[in-house]
Amino acid sequence: MRKNIILLTFLLIVLVSISVGAEDIVLNYYSHGVENGTRMDIIEEFEATHPGIKVNLVELPQDTNKKLQMINTILQSQDNSMDIFDSDVTWPPIFAAAGWVEPLDGYLSEVEMDDFLPGPVGAVTYMGKVWGVPYRTDAGMLYYRKDLLEKHNKEVPKTWDELIETSRYIMEREEGIKGHAGSWAQYEGLTCNLMEFVWSYGGKVFNEEGEVVYNSPETVAAVSTMTDMINKDNIMPNGIVNFYSGDARAPFFSGKLVFLRDWPSGWRKSQNPDNSQVVGKVGIAALPMGSPDQRSYSTLGGWQVMVSKYSDHKEEAVEFAKFRGGKEAQKMAALGLSHIPARESLYSDSDILEKMPFIEDMFPAFVSAYPRPKSPYYAEVSNILQVETQKAFVEDKTAAEAVKDADQRIKDLLGQ
Ligand code: GLC
């Protein structure tokens, strides 16, 4: 009898847990890859604190353009299997204008958005509404070899001309070294790198009124400098026109580059002895200026989570969005992935400062990072900039022609 009672109780427990399990809501979260496990730790922490909601991570492709294509296709087909997704800072106008994403104003209190930096908040705000919860900000930075600059008695360059000069000086004295690299392949990374040159020479794509003003002597000077760095000054590694961010990091990590333009996420990798030979030898500074009367510009990058309009679990997806953008998850990502927090209060967190000491000095650069043009046609505008700039890189066109043609094509696209 007693045995039967124990057995029955056991069966009851199994049944209850199965039925509770069956009621779990599973969110499909289209995300960056798992990488070193930190993203899964964040998900596990969410699940542990939010019983009844499970999160299934679906990995997006590595290249930013391919991520956008995939999300675009899913949303366009009104597919309800994607609940929530990682969105680049430039995507909210694209998806909001199409009506494919859920505005989050009704779900978020003002207090909840209070601690976020202005750049990420600006990026998720469009047509007066909030379209995502930022979980990471990003800004271009100059990585440099502290040891090499010291050895050759050189300062951290303040202008692109100085960077070229110092590169050439060190290249002449060190075997097998090149000067600089960045993400110059034809994809979104190139637009980010290009804009830093263009802005720092005083050029821009649009004026305040939204008119295309890309074709200017300032922009031509910026594109000429980049083109010369490849073809005339010869400070870029061979194949730079095909370099994604990983390709630019590789020679720097193996000690074959003096400078590197990268995002903060490269820091953790540069300081990991398993894949870097420059541990302890890397400094970080603001990117150089074009002309000395300009200022340094970093492209604002970063990511947020956005909720699909076609999700059947919007409330739960917002719960996850809040957690993903919350302090705890952002701290986990800062420590595990060297992701720069989108929340101001985390910049005084001692664990984060210990792991990424540069974030204290670089805080002004993160806060003043400059956004790419905000437009529902952003992807097309960016593509034109990439294609035309690459034509100058491979000397199919002069810098002046490439700039003029990009300007005209963007005007045609927007009917200006
Ligand atoms: C980084 C940035 C993102 C940018 C991308 C380019 O992920 O955070 O904003 O668009 O790089 O590849």
Side-chain angles (χ1 to χ4, degrees), residues 216-262:
S216 68
E218 291 81 8
T219 306
V220 173
V223 176
S224 298
T225 300
M226 293 178 90
T227 307
D228 285 351
M229 284 164 84
I230 306 174
N231 301 308
K232 192 175 124 231
D233 307 312
N234 200 18
I235 63 163
M236 309 299 278
N238 291 339
I240 183 71
V241 297
N242 297 313
F243 274 25
Y244 290 80
S245 68
D247 305 306
R249 283 171 183 169
F252 187 79
F253 292 174
S254 62
K256 303 225 157 24
L257 273 182
V258 188
F259 301 108
L260 169 72
R261 183 277 180 206
D262 199 4

Short mmCIF file of all heavy atoms in Angstrom, two decimals, residues 216-262:
data_model
loop_
_atom_site.label_atom_id
_atom_site.label_comp_id
_atom_site.label_asym_id
_atom_site.label_seq_id
_atom_site.Cartn_x
_atom_site.Cartn_y
_atom_site.Cartn_z
N SER A 216 31.70 66.37 -52.10
CA SER A 216 32.32 67.60 -51.61
C SER A 216 33.83 67.38 -51.60
O SER A 216 34.29 66.24 -51.57
CB SER A 216 31.85 67.89 -50.18
OG SER A 216 32.36 66.90 -49.29
N PRO A 217 34.61 68.48 -51.62
CA PRO A 217 36.07 68.32 -51.57
C PRO A 217 36.50 67.56 -50.31
O PRO A 217 37.47 66.80 -50.35
CB PRO A 217 36.58 69.77 -51.49
CG PRO A 217 35.46 70.62 -51.94
CD PRO A 217 34.18 69.87 -51.72
N GLU A 218 35.75 67.72 -49.21
CA GLU A 218 36.10 67.04 -47.96
C GLU A 218 35.98 65.52 -48.13
O GLU A 218 36.87 64.77 -47.73
CB GLU A 218 35.20 67.51 -46.80
CG GLU A 218 35.42 68.95 -46.36
CD GLU A 218 34.73 69.98 -47.25
OE1 GLU A 218 33.94 69.59 -48.14
OE2 GLU A 218 34.98 71.19 -47.05
N THR A 219 34.85 65.08 -48.71
CA THR A 219 34.67 63.63 -48.90
C THR A 219 35.71 63.08 -49.86
O THR A 219 36.26 62.00 -49.65
CB THR A 219 33.25 63.31 -49.44
OG1 THR A 219 32.30 63.92 -48.57
CG2 THR A 219 33.00 61.83 -49.48
N VAL A 220 36.00 63.85 -50.92
CA VAL A 220 37.00 63.38 -51.88
C VAL A 220 38.36 63.23 -51.19
O VAL A 220 39.07 62.23 -51.38
CB VAL A 220 37.09 64.33 -53.10
CG1 VAL A 220 38.24 63.93 -54.02
CG2 VAL A 220 35.78 64.34 -53.88
N ALA A 221 38.69 64.18 -50.31
CA ALA A 221 39.97 64.08 -49.58
C ALA A 221 39.99 62.82 -48.72
O ALA A 221 41.01 62.12 -48.65
CB ALA A 221 40.16 65.33 -48.71
N ALA A 222 38.86 62.51 -48.09
CA ALA A 222 38.79 61.32 -47.22
C ALA A 222 39.00 60.05 -48.03
O ALA A 222 39.81 59.18 -47.67
CB ALA A 222 37.44 61.29 -46.52
N VAL A 223 38.26 59.93 -49.15
CA VAL A 223 38.36 58.71 -49.96
C VAL A 223 39.75 58.62 -50.60
O VAL A 223 40.32 57.53 -50.73
CB VAL A 223 37.22 58.64 -51.00
CG1 VAL A 223 37.37 57.42 -51.91
CG2 VAL A 223 35.87 58.60 -50.29
N SER A 224 40.33 59.77 -50.97
CA SER A 224 41.70 59.76 -51.53
C SER A 224 42.69 59.22 -50.51
O SER A 224 43.58 58.43 -50.85
CB SER A 224 42.16 61.16 -51.90
OG SER A 224 41.35 61.69 -52.87
N THR A 225 42.55 59.65 -49.27
CA THR A 225 43.48 59.16 -48.24
C THR A 225 43.40 57.65 -48.12
O THR A 225 44.42 56.95 -48.10
CB THR A 225 43.17 59.81 -46.87
OG1 THR A 225 43.32 61.22 -47.00
CG2 THR A 225 44.11 59.32 -45.78
N MET A 226 42.17 57.11 -48.07
CA MET A 226 42.02 55.65 -47.95
C MET A 226 42.64 54.94 -49.15
O MET A 226 43.36 53.96 -49.02
CB MET A 226 40.53 55.27 -47.86
CG MET A 226 39.83 55.74 -46.61
SD MET A 226 38.06 55.31 -46.60
CE MET A 226 38.07 53.69 -45.82
N THR A 227 42.34 55.48 -50.35
CA THR A 227 42.84 54.86 -51.58
C THR A 227 44.38 54.91 -51.61
O THR A 227 45.03 53.92 -51.97
CB THR A 227 42.24 55.60 -52.78
OG1 THR A 227 40.82 55.62 -52.59
CG2 THR A 227 42.55 54.92 -54.08
N ASP A 228 44.93 56.05 -51.21
CA ASP A 228 46.39 56.18 -51.18
C ASP A 228 47.02 55.24 -50.16
O ASP A 228 48.12 54.72 -50.39
CB ASP A 228 46.81 57.62 -50.84
CG ASP A 228 46.60 58.56 -52.02
OD1 ASP A 228 46.30 58.07 -53.13
OD2 ASP A 228 46.71 59.80 -51.83
N MET A 229 46.35 55.04 -49.05
CA MET A 229 46.90 54.13 -48.03
C MET A 229 47.12 52.74 -48.63
O MET A 229 48.07 52.03 -48.28
CB MET A 229 45.96 54.05 -46.81
CG MET A 229 46.04 55.27 -45.91
SD MET A 229 44.66 55.42 -44.74
CE MET A 229 45.21 54.38 -43.41
N ILE A 230 46.22 52.36 -49.57
CA ILE A 230 46.38 51.05 -50.22
C ILE A 230 47.42 51.13 -51.34
O ILE A 230 48.38 50.37 -51.37
CB ILE A 230 45.05 50.57 -50.86
CG1 ILE A 230 43.91 50.57 -49.86
CG2 ILE A 230 45.22 49.21 -51.53
CD1 ILE A 230 42.54 50.25 -50.45
N ASN A 231 47.21 52.08 -52.26
CA ASN A 231 47.94 52.02 -53.53
C ASN A 231 49.22 52.86 -53.59
O ASN A 231 50.08 52.58 -54.40
CB ASN A 231 47.01 52.45 -54.67
CG ASN A 231 45.78 51.56 -54.75
OD1 ASN A 231 45.91 50.34 -54.79
ND2 ASN A 231 44.60 52.14 -54.75
N LYS A 232 49.29 53.91 -52.77
CA LYS A 232 50.46 54.77 -52.87
C LYS A 232 51.38 54.62 -51.66
O LYS A 232 52.56 54.32 -51.79
CB LYS A 232 49.97 56.23 -53.00
CG LYS A 232 51.06 57.20 -53.39
CD LYS A 232 50.50 58.60 -53.61
CE LYS A 232 51.23 59.58 -52.74
NZ LYS A 232 50.40 60.44 -51.95
N ASP A 233 50.79 54.78 -50.48
CA ASP A 233 51.61 54.67 -49.27
C ASP A 233 51.96 53.21 -48.95
O ASP A 233 52.89 52.94 -48.21
CB ASP A 233 50.87 55.29 -48.07
CG ASP A 233 50.41 56.71 -48.36
OD1 ASP A 233 51.24 57.49 -48.85
OD2 ASP A 233 49.23 57.03 -48.13
N ASN A 234 51.11 52.31 -49.47
CA ASN A 234 51.39 50.88 -49.33
C ASN A 234 51.51 50.42 -47.87
O ASN A 234 52.36 49.60 -47.55
CB ASN A 234 52.69 50.59 -50.11
CG ASN A 234 52.81 49.14 -50.46
OD1 ASN A 234 51.80 48.41 -50.42
ND2 ASN A 234 54.02 48.69 -50.76
N ILE A 235 50.65 50.96 -47.02
CA ILE A 235 50.73 50.57 -45.60
C ILE A 235 49.69 49.52 -45.21
O ILE A 235 49.67 49.05 -44.08
CB ILE A 235 50.59 51.79 -44.65
CG1 ILE A 235 49.21 52.43 -44.79
CG2 ILE A 235 51.70 52.82 -44.88
CD1 ILE A 235 48.85 53.34 -43.62
N MET A 236 48.80 49.18 -46.16
CA MET A 236 47.74 48.21 -45.82
C MET A 236 48.19 46.81 -46.26
O MET A 236 48.87 46.66 -47.28
CB MET A 236 46.43 48.56 -46.54
CG MET A 236 45.97 50.00 -46.38
SD MET A 236 45.65 50.51 -44.68
CE MET A 236 43.99 49.89 -44.41
N PRO A 237 47.78 45.76 -45.54
CA PRO A 237 48.15 44.41 -45.96
C PRO A 237 47.54 44.08 -47.33
O PRO A 237 46.49 44.64 -47.69
CB PRO A 237 47.53 43.50 -44.90
CG PRO A 237 47.08 44.39 -43.79
CD PRO A 237 46.96 45.78 -44.33
N ASN A 238 48.17 43.18 -48.06
CA ASN A 238 47.60 42.76 -49.35
C ASN A 238 46.21 42.18 -49.11
O ASN A 238 45.98 41.51 -48.12
CB ASN A 238 48.46 41.65 -49.99
CG ASN A 238 49.79 42.21 -50.44
OD1 ASN A 238 49.92 43.42 -50.64
ND2 ASN A 238 50.77 41.33 -50.56
N GLY A 239 45.31 42.45 -50.05
CA GLY A 239 43.97 41.88 -49.94
C GLY A 239 43.04 42.65 -49.03
O GLY A 239 41.95 42.19 -48.72
N ILE A 240 43.45 43.86 -48.61
CA ILE A 240 42.63 44.64 -47.68
C ILE A 240 41.20 44.86 -48.21
O ILE A 240 40.25 44.92 -47.44
CB ILE A 240 43.30 46.00 -47.34
CG1 ILE A 240 42.52 46.82 -46.30
CG2 ILE A 240 43.52 46.86 -48.58
CD1 ILE A 240 42.56 46.29 -44.91
N VAL A 241 41.05 44.89 -49.55
CA VAL A 241 39.71 45.13 -50.11
C VAL A 241 38.78 43.93 -49.88
O VAL A 241 37.59 44.02 -50.17
CB VAL A 241 39.75 45.49 -51.62
CG1 VAL A 241 40.51 46.80 -51.84
CG2 VAL A 241 40.32 44.37 -52.45
N ASN A 242 39.34 42.84 -49.35
CA ASN A 242 38.49 41.69 -49.02
C ASN A 242 38.47 41.42 -47.52
O ASN A 242 38.09 40.33 -47.09
CB ASN A 242 38.99 40.43 -49.73
CG ASN A 242 38.90 40.58 -51.23
OD1 ASN A 242 37.86 41.02 -51.74
ND2 ASN A 242 39.96 40.27 -51.94
N PHE A 243 38.89 42.37 -46.72
CA PHE A 243 39.01 42.14 -45.27
C PHE A 243 37.71 42.42 -44.52
O PHE A 243 37.23 43.55 -44.47
CB PHE A 243 40.10 43.05 -44.67
CG PHE A 243 41.49 42.50 -44.73
CD1 PHE A 243 41.86 41.57 -45.68
CD2 PHE A 243 42.45 42.92 -43.81
CE1 PHE A 243 43.16 41.07 -45.74
CE2 PHE A 243 43.75 42.42 -43.86
CZ PHE A 243 44.11 41.50 -44.82
N TYR A 244 37.17 41.36 -43.88
CA TYR A 244 36.11 41.53 -42.88
C TYR A 244 36.82 41.77 -41.54
O TYR A 244 38.06 41.72 -41.49
CB TYR A 244 35.23 40.27 -42.83
CG TYR A 244 34.39 40.13 -44.07
CD1 TYR A 244 34.93 39.62 -45.24
CD2 TYR A 244 33.06 40.55 -44.08
CE1 TYR A 244 34.18 39.52 -46.40
CE2 TYR A 244 32.29 40.45 -45.24
CZ TYR A 244 32.86 39.94 -46.39
OH TYR A 244 32.11 39.85 -47.53
N SER A 245 36.08 42.00 -40.45
CA SER A 245 36.78 42.42 -39.23
C SER A 245 37.76 41.36 -38.73
O SER A 245 38.85 41.69 -38.27
CB SER A 245 35.80 42.85 -38.15
OG SER A 245 35.07 41.76 -37.70
N GLY A 246 37.40 40.09 -38.89
CA GLY A 246 38.30 39.01 -38.44
C GLY A 246 39.60 39.01 -39.24
O GLY A 246 40.68 38.72 -38.69
N ASP A 247 39.52 39.34 -40.54
CA ASP A 247 40.73 39.35 -41.39
C ASP A 247 41.66 40.48 -40.98
O ASP A 247 42.87 40.37 -41.12
CB ASP A 247 40.33 39.55 -42.86
CG ASP A 247 39.34 38.52 -43.32
OD1 ASP A 247 39.61 37.33 -43.16
OD2 ASP A 247 38.25 38.91 -43.80
N ALA A 248 41.09 41.59 -40.51
CA ALA A 248 41.92 42.72 -40.10
C ALA A 248 42.57 42.43 -38.74
O ALA A 248 43.71 42.81 -38.49
CB ALA A 248 41.07 43.99 -40.02
N ARG A 249 41.81 41.73 -37.88
CA ARG A 249 42.36 41.40 -36.56
C ARG A 249 43.52 40.41 -36.67
O ARG A 249 44.51 40.54 -35.92
CB ARG A 249 41.29 40.73 -35.69
CG ARG A 249 40.31 41.71 -35.13
CD ARG A 249 39.14 40.99 -34.45
NE ARG A 249 38.17 41.96 -33.97
CZ ARG A 249 36.97 41.65 -33.54
NH1 ARG A 249 36.56 40.40 -33.52
NH2 ARG A 249 36.16 42.60 -33.11
N ALA A 250 43.40 39.46 -37.58
CA ALA A 250 44.38 38.36 -37.61
C ALA A 250 45.83 38.86 -37.67
O ALA A 250 46.64 38.47 -36.82
CB ALA A 250 44.05 37.39 -38.73
N PRO A 251 46.21 39.72 -38.65
CA PRO A 251 47.61 40.15 -38.69
C PRO A 251 48.00 40.99 -37.47
O PRO A 251 49.15 40.92 -37.02
CB PRO A 251 47.71 40.99 -39.98
CG PRO A 251 46.32 41.32 -40.37
CD PRO A 251 45.44 40.26 -39.78
N PHE A 252 47.06 41.74 -36.92
CA PHE A 252 47.39 42.54 -35.73
C PHE A 252 47.69 41.62 -34.55
O PHE A 252 48.68 41.79 -33.85
CB PHE A 252 46.23 43.50 -35.41
CG PHE A 252 46.56 44.48 -34.31
CD1 PHE A 252 47.32 45.61 -34.57
CD2 PHE A 252 46.13 44.25 -33.01
CE1 PHE A 252 47.65 46.51 -33.55
CE2 PHE A 252 46.45 45.14 -31.98
CZ PHE A 252 47.22 46.27 -32.25
N PHE A 253 46.83 40.62 -34.38
CA PHE A 253 47.02 39.68 -33.26
C PHE A 253 48.31 38.87 -33.43
O PHE A 253 48.89 38.42 -32.46
CB PHE A 253 45.84 38.71 -33.13
CG PHE A 253 44.54 39.37 -32.70
CD1 PHE A 253 43.36 38.64 -32.66
CD2 PHE A 253 44.51 40.70 -32.32
CE1 PHE A 253 42.17 39.23 -32.27
CE2 PHE A 253 43.32 41.31 -31.93
CZ PHE A 253 42.14 40.56 -31.91
N SER A 254 48.73 38.66 -34.68
CA SER A 254 49.96 37.88 -34.84
C SER A 254 51.19 38.79 -34.91
O SER A 254 52.27 38.35 -35.29
CB SER A 254 49.87 36.95 -36.05
OG SER A 254 49.71 37.71 -37.21
N GLY A 255 51.02 40.05 -34.56
CA GLY A 255 52.17 40.96 -34.43
C GLY A 255 52.66 41.55 -35.73
O GLY A 255 53.77 42.06 -35.81
N LYS A 256 51.81 41.52 -36.79
CA LYS A 256 52.27 41.97 -38.10
C LYS A 256 51.71 43.33 -38.53
O LYS A 256 51.79 43.72 -39.68
CB LYS A 256 51.90 40.92 -39.15
CG LYS A 256 52.47 39.54 -38.84
CD LYS A 256 53.06 38.91 -40.08
CE LYS A 256 54.09 37.84 -39.83
NZ LYS A 256 54.04 37.15 -38.55
N LEU A 257 51.10 44.03 -37.58
CA LEU A 257 50.53 45.35 -37.89
C LEU A 257 50.82 46.32 -36.76
O LEU A 257 50.79 45.93 -35.59
CB LEU A 257 49.00 45.25 -37.97
CG LEU A 257 48.32 44.87 -39.27
CD1 LEU A 257 46.80 44.90 -39.05
CD2 LEU A 257 48.68 45.83 -40.39
N VAL A 258 51.03 47.59 -37.12
CA VAL A 258 51.24 48.60 -36.07
C VAL A 258 49.88 49.09 -35.55
O VAL A 258 49.69 49.26 -34.35
CB VAL A 258 52.04 49.81 -36.62
CG1 VAL A 258 52.40 50.75 -35.47
CG2 VAL A 258 53.28 49.37 -37.36
N PHE A 259 48.93 49.31 -36.48
CA PHE A 259 47.63 49.88 -36.09
C PHE A 259 46.49 49.00 -36.59
O PHE A 259 46.64 48.24 -37.55
CB PHE A 259 47.45 51.28 -36.71
CG PHE A 259 48.51 52.26 -36.29
CD1 PHE A 259 49.50 52.67 -37.20
CD2 PHE A 259 48.54 52.78 -35.01
CE1 PHE A 259 50.48 53.59 -36.83
CE2 PHE A 259 49.51 53.69 -34.62
CZ PHE A 259 50.48 54.10 -35.54
N LEU A 260 45.35 49.16 -35.94
CA LEU A 260 44.15 48.43 -36.36
C LEU A 260 42.94 49.27 -36.00
O LEU A 260 42.85 49.79 -34.89
CB LEU A 260 44.07 47.09 -35.60
CG LEU A 260 42.76 46.31 -35.71
CD1 LEU A 260 42.62 45.69 -37.12
CD2 LEU A 260 42.71 45.18 -34.66
N ARG A 261 41.99 49.38 -36.94
CA ARG A 261 40.71 50.01 -36.59
C ARG A 261 39.77 48.86 -36.25
O ARG A 261 39.51 47.98 -37.07
CB ARG A 261 40.17 50.81 -37.79
CG ARG A 261 38.87 51.57 -37.51
CD ARG A 261 37.67 50.69 -37.63
NE ARG A 261 36.42 51.38 -37.38
CZ ARG A 261 35.33 50.77 -36.96
NH1 ARG A 261 35.30 49.48 -36.71
NH2 ARG A 261 34.21 51.45 -36.77
N ASP A 262 39.27 48.86 -35.02
CA ASP A 262 38.40 47.76 -34.63
C ASP A 262 37.37 48.25 -33.62
O ASP A 262 37.47 49.36 -33.07
CB ASP A 262 39.23 46.61 -34.02
CG ASP A 262 38.48 45.28 -34.01
OD1 ASP A 262 37.34 45.21 -34.52
OD2 ASP A 262 39.03 44.29 -33.47
#
